[in-house]
Amino acid sequence: MSGKRIELDGNNEESGGQQFVTGRGLYADGNSRIHRIESHGFASSPVKGAKALLLSPNGNPDEAYVIGGEHQAHRPSDLPGGGTAIYDASGNIISLVGTKIRIVAPLLELVGNLEVDGNIHASGTIIDELGNTNHHSH
């Protein structure tokens, strides 16, 4: 088995429920249409300049796979041990750290219902565009 670090060029192809990427290794050796392996329940598209691990289980580049695809400029750097974050190249972040869930986004769009069993604490303005706030009770 051989493995090496490659830099992805941002050409991502979706085909048959799988993702294929293109990139270059340390000595500018090109690799095209490589199957990128991701965890179940998670999907992403790496940006140009992201780093990944290219593995060739049988030493054959035609049977290669890519794992990863993270760009150092977009990765959150303030996560403590045990923390988890989902993030994108625009700075939107959902993080799970300790007992807190943090969402950092300029605009949060909720599609569907939100059910809360507990208190809601807001440090900003709550805007009710449909005028429903007078229908609640304390």
Side-chain angles (χ1 to χ4, degrees):
M1 179 182 301
S2 65
K4 62 182 173 180
R5 181 179 174 190
I6 65 170
E7 183 172 303
L8 303 177
D9 64 9
N11 291 318
N12 306 318
E13 175 192 339
E14 302 287 335
S15 177
Q18 298 178 333
Q19 186 179 70
F20 299 89
V21 296
T22 302
R24 296 207 166 274
L26 180 62
Y27 300 105
D29 50 334
N31 300 277
S32 60
R33 203 171 190 284
I34 314 155
H35 182 203
R36 181 171 174 247
I37 306 289
E38 293 181 284
S39 300
H40 172 75
F42 178 80
S44 68
S45 290
V47 296
K48 181 178 182 177
K51 306 296 189 267
L53 175 63
L54 175 75
L55 293 173
S56 298
N58 299 316
N60 182 350
D62 291 333
E63 298 175 5
Y65 298 95
V66 167
I67 299 172
E70 185 167 66
H71 195 290
Q72 63 273 16
H74 302 296
R75 184 183 189 284
S77 60
D78 60 348
L79 288 176
T84 300
I86 300 169
Y87 62 95
D88 67 9
S90 298
N92 298 299
I93 301 172
I94 299 173
S95 64
L96 309 169
V97 178
T99 61
K100 295 183 180 179
I101 297 173
R102 182 180 68 160
I103 299 173
V104 177
L107 177 63
L108 179 61
E109 180 181 348
L110 176 66
V111 179
N113 297 322
L114 173 65
E115 295 185 22
V116 177
D117 182 12
N119 299 322
I120 298 175
H121 299 266
S123 59
T125 302
I126 297 175
I127 300 169
D128 176 8
E129 294 179 351
L130 297 178
N132 291 313
T133 52
N134 61 346
H135 297 289
H136 74 282
S137 62
H138 295 278

